[in-house]
Amino acid sequence: MALWIGSLEQGLLFGIMAIGVYLTFRVLSFPDLTVDGSFALGGAVAASLVVAGVSGWAAAAVAALAGAGAGLITGLLHTKGKINGLLSGILTMIALYSVNLRVMGRANVSLLNEKTIKTELEAWAQAAGVDRHVVFGVMFFLLLFAVKLAVDWFLRTDLGTAVRATGDNPAMIRSFGVDTDGTILLGLILSNALVGLSGGLIAQYQGYADVQMGIGMIIVGLASVIIGEVLIGAQTIFRATLAAAAGAVAYRFVIAAALRLNVDPNDLKLLTALIVVVALVVPPILEKRRLQRRLDAEDADAVFGDDRRQAAADRAGAGAGPKAEGRVRPAEKGGEGG
Amino acid sequence: MTGGLWLERVSKTFHPGTSNARRALKDVTLSIAPGEFVILIGSNGAGKSTLMNAIAGRIPVDRGRIVLDGVDITRWPEHRRAALIGRVFQDPMMGTAPSLSIAENMALAYRRGRRRVLRSFIGAKERALYREALATLELGLEARLETKVGTLSGGERQALSLLMATFVEPKLLLLDEHTAALDPKRAELVLRLTEKIVREKRLTTLMITHNMAHALRMGDRLLMMHAGEIVLDLSAEEKAQMEIDDLLRAFERVRGETFVDDRLVFSQLEGKDHAP
């Protein structure tokens, strides 16, 4: 049970990161690998500040600012430095590894016996006489939902719509007077601010920050976004951000289930990568099949009348590849000629 | 010089200093009066699209000046010029944002050239405005404000692009073969809308077409480009005298001349090669 409760609580905090990844990956169509670095940066900054005596909430806020800075750098490399987007993110991520070590002064900062958000909430729970997991659950949920609603609101403003249009059709939105460099920068800053915030919260929740804590985070984020889309859909902004948040929780449950089934923890990253591959590859194939079946049915309807089912089945069996078509076409032509 | 468009000795060379160097625009000087509807024709590679991209700021020019509505915009970046210039592209997918709704696309167009701020979007008054404008297209789009633009047909998207490009009256409207990708019926519809909008709003317009019939039928003036230069400039009266055949002959004559030119160049080159 503790495993599932822990997964839920972690998932809610990781949900903030997933919404950040949604902003770049889906809204801007920009696969931003900064995430691995900015998540650990958030953790490093928050942990160092907490150790220095800063309150946990203030430390998390500064972690968000640090993440925003990381996003700004990736954005500048891409828009002003004209470096490929993927590479811009990788460069920032690699650079941040050193920065994070500098921030912490070593590879790992423990928050044991420090005053963090977690200990604060625990004190609260004790004073009120409630189970601490109830307080964690409610607080983290409210926090995640507030972030989600704020992002929803932003995406519906003039500026947010310009950001969405930038990911959708940059040439078009430039022709209406929007500087797409600016909207890309803004999207990256906001996204990485959320990622940094998430890192700062996770570090306090788990009680330490580690220079390795961001490794593979972008894939976790992608997995969350994609799992959420499968579960909830992304037809509206409200659903899309909800999907990213819920996907993060679902992802934690998948990992918990894997651990429960005695999957070697060392294999978890492999498992995560497989989930993302399957979630990216399978839905388009299913969609294509469905479309093909419908087209075949319509074709058969028009041409073969009562034999339509048989015909549709035959065609589906032949596979709709270009080769198959090539074989069919000349025969049809010959028939017409005769 | 007030209003309209004024190009002064505009030049552009692609890949300068390499063996692929190509002079796409050669000292093009052109004046378009306010409210004038100009048709631009020319074979592939004549420099039509380069000229349009230079005016829109998609590509920087090497030399020359571009003045629009009395303002020198030669050094302005593309997004800044967009405050003054409306554009419709050849590809119907280019002029709209597919995953945004019709209302959101209209709202983007409505805010052309204005600062995008953190203001919540689209009130009821604006919606009414969009519905009214969309109704003029006579495609029933006014009843589908929440429909995602990606689900519209090519013709519908292009009609919407045209409406969006002219929604906030631009100082100059650039139409880059905006009906070339449509079937004849849809192309006819979009051309009819073009004629209507350009005339009603008296827009200064430059339209590229490959269709000679459209070129003769539409506009107040006809320009022909070849090899980076404007080689023919017909007024409305001169245009009215011409048939499609005359236009095609003019085309061939222009090509023939450069063919002779090319031969001359080649013989000179050979002469040089053999000289030493």
Side-chain angles (χ1 to χ4, degrees):
Chain A
M1 198 58 202
L3 179 66
W4 301 107
I5 292 173
S7 297
L8 174 66
E9 290 165 3
Q10 280 196 340
L12 291 171
L13 295 181
F14 275 116
I16 297 173
M17 182 271 300
I19 291 175
V21 170
Y22 162 77
L23 278 178
T24 47
F25 182 61
R26 283 295 188 226
V27 175
L28 274 183
S29 306
F30 186 109
D32 175 30
L33 298 195
T34 315
V35 171
D36 280 25
S38 54
F39 185 82
L41 176 66
V45 166
S48 304
L49 287 174
V50 165
V51 168
V54 176
S55 94
W57 295 106
V62 179
L65 285 180
L72 173 68
I73 290 169
T74 299
L76 288 175
L77 289 177
H78 176 59
T79 57
K80 304 302 173 196
K82 311 280 178 215
I83 298 174
N84 167 288
L86 215 51
L87 185 56
S88 305
I90 293 174
L91 288 170
T92 311
M93 173 186 88
I94 289 295
L96 281 175
Y97 193 87
S98 298
V99 172
N100 293 341
L101 280 169
R102 286 262 177 201
V103 169
M104 295 193 289
R106 53 186 179 278
N108 190 301
V109 170
S110 169
L111 297 177
L112 215 67
N113 304 324
E114 300 289 347
K115 238 186 117 209
T116 63
I117 290 175
K118 194 179 184 188
T119 60
E120 216 173 292
L121 291 178
E122 277 168 346
W124 257 30
Q126 208 164 21
V130 230
D131 187 276
R132 61 189 193 124
H133 289 296
V134 174
V135 175
F136 288 159
V138 171
M139 278 306 290
F140 294 169
F141 177 82
L142 288 178
L143 189 62
L144 176 58
F145 209 71
V147 166
K148 174 222 161 2
L149 289 180
V151 169
D152 288 359
W153 169 80
F154 167 73
L155 289 176
R156 290 202 194 93
T157 61
D158 285 4
L159 192 58
T161 306
V163 172
R164 281 156 63 209
T166 303
D168 216 20
N169 188 345
M172 169 265 185
I173 191 65
R174 266 198 300 275
S175 81
F176 287 107
V178 170
D179 176 12
T180 48
D181 283 2
T183 48
I184 290 171
L185 277 173
L186 181 63
L188 285 168
I189 288 171
L190 281 179
S191 165
N192 283 289
L194 294 181
V195 174
L197 174 63
S198 177
L201 294 170
I202 285 286
Q204 298 188 53
Y205 176 80
Q206 66 189 12
Y208 66 90
D210 189 291
V211 73
Q212 309 268 7
M213 71 188 274
I215 291 179
M217 204 45 64
I218 179 65
I219 300 299
V220 173
L222 291 183
S224 305
V225 169
I226 296 166
I227 292 172
E229 281 171 359
V230 172
L231 294 178
I232 293 183
Q235 289 82 352
T236 60
I237 295 174
F238 185 88
R239 279 178 91 154
T241 52
L242 185 68
V249 175
Y251 170 78
R252 279 295 134 193
F253 283 145
V254 171
I255 295 299
L259 289 173
R260 209 50 192 280
L261 294 170
N262 291 324
V263 171
D264 186 338
N266 288 334
D267 292 337
L268 286 181
K269 290 229 187 320
L270 177 64
L271 179 70
T272 306
L274 284 176
I275 292 173
V276 172
V277 169
V278 170
L280 283 176
V281 171
V282 172
I285 292 177
L286 291 179
E287 182 59 29
K288 205 173 158 192
R289 281 244 180 104
R290 200 159 43 220
L291 203 71
Q292 188 62 43
R293 220 171 299 149
R294 217 178 60 205
L295 287 176
D296 284 345
E298 279 170 12
D299 266 13
D301 235 4
V303 181
F304 297 103
D306 287 340
D307 296 329
R308 60 179 179 252
R309 276 190 192 176
Q310 187 54 46
D314 286 349
R315 285 191 187 193
K323 264 189 189 163
E325 280 211 18
R327 255 188 288 124
V328 175
R329 284 267 159 79
E332 279 176 356
K333 264 192 185 163
E336 277 167 26
Chain B
M1 168 113 236
T2 55
L5 176 71
W6 167 241
L7 300 188
E8 190 185 329
R9 298 177 64 91
V10 170
S11 292
K12 176 72 191 177
T13 302
F14 288 117
H15 315 296
T18 71
S19 56
N20 290 326
R22 194 167 61 80
R23 289 191 67 190
L25 296 177
K26 296 174 190 163
D27 282 339
V28 173
T29 294
L30 170 67
S31 163
I32 298 180
E36 199 171 26
F37 184 0
V38 179
I39 309 291
L40 178 59
I41 59 174
S43 52
N44 288 328
K48 309 183 297 294
S49 290
T50 306
L51 183 69
M52 222 168 239
N53 285 332
I55 296 169
R58 271 182 119 178
I59 54 170
V61 299
D62 301 335
R63 265 181 299 122
R65 282 205 315 150
I66 302 170
V67 179
L68 178 59
D69 198 36
V71 185
D72 188 332
I73 60 169
T74 316
R75 300 280 158 241
W76 286 21
E78 182 186 5
H79 64 88
R80 195 168 162 210
R81 293 189 205 194
L84 307 176
I85 299 174
R87 266 187 292 168
V88 183
F89 309 95
Q90 179 177 353
D91 182 352
M93 303 302 139
M94 283 277 282
T96 46
S99 69
L100 270 53
S101 68
I102 293 179
E104 286 169 333
N105 271 279
M106 288 296 286
L108 290 171
Y110 188 55
R111 287 158 180 74
R112 167 211 296 290
R114 281 199 256 157
R115 260 185 85 80
R116 316 274 158 160
V117 291
L118 284 174
R119 202 161 47 93
S120 237
F121 225 40
I122 322 180
K125 225 165 117 192
E126 259 186 76
R127 265 167 205 286
L129 201 65
Y130 301 163
R131 263 195 288 274
E132 196 184 313
L134 287 163
T136 63
L137 298 180
E138 295 172 27
L139 292 170
L141 296 183
E142 64 276 13
R144 301 165 64 189
L145 278 186
E146 296 315 317
T147 304
K148 292 216 164 130
V149 168
T151 64
L152 301 182
S153 73
E156 287 171 331
R157 280 185 79 163
Q158 203 62 332
L160 180 61
S161 301
L162 182 66
L163 182 67
M164 286 166 60
T166 55
F167 196 35
V168 174
E169 279 184 34
K171 298 292 182 197
L172 174 69
L173 177 63
L174 298 176
L175 306 170
D176 190 352
E177 291 190 61
H178 67 310
T179 60
L182 304 177
D183 64 58
K185 210 174 129 200
R186 300 280 162 73
E188 211 43 58
L189 168 81
V190 172
L191 282 179
R192 197 159 46 79
L193 290 170
T194 305
E195 188 82 46
K196 184 175 142 194
I197 292 172
V198 168
R199 294 308 180 194
E200 270 173 13
K201 301 195 171 188
R202 294 202 178 80
L203 297 175
T204 312
T205 304
L206 183 61
M207 169 173 140
I208 295 180
T209 180
H210 267 152
N211 185 313
M212 294 303 143
H214 296 163
L216 285 178
R217 195 183 79 199
M218 298 181 73
D220 314 317
R221 186 174 160 195
L222 180 67
L223 300 177
M224 186 190 288
M225 279 190 81
H226 184 76
E229 291 174 291
I230 292 171
V231 291
L232 194 65
D233 187 345
L234 300 176
S235 66
E237 295 80 46
E238 291 168 315
K239 207 154 78 83
Q241 312 283 320
M242 288 195 104
E243 305 272 334
I244 292 179
D245 281 344
D246 300 327
L247 211 50
L248 289 175
R249 261 199 294 283
F251 242 122
E252 272 160 27
R253 203 167 52 234
V254 168
R255 279 198 196 139
E257 276 167 18
T258 41
F259 181 63
V260 174
D261 281 352
D262 286 348
R263 259 206 320 233
L264 272 173
V265 172
F266 277 127
S267 59
Q268 277 169 356
L269 279 177
E270 275 166 11
K272 258 187 203 160
D273 279 350
H274 292 295

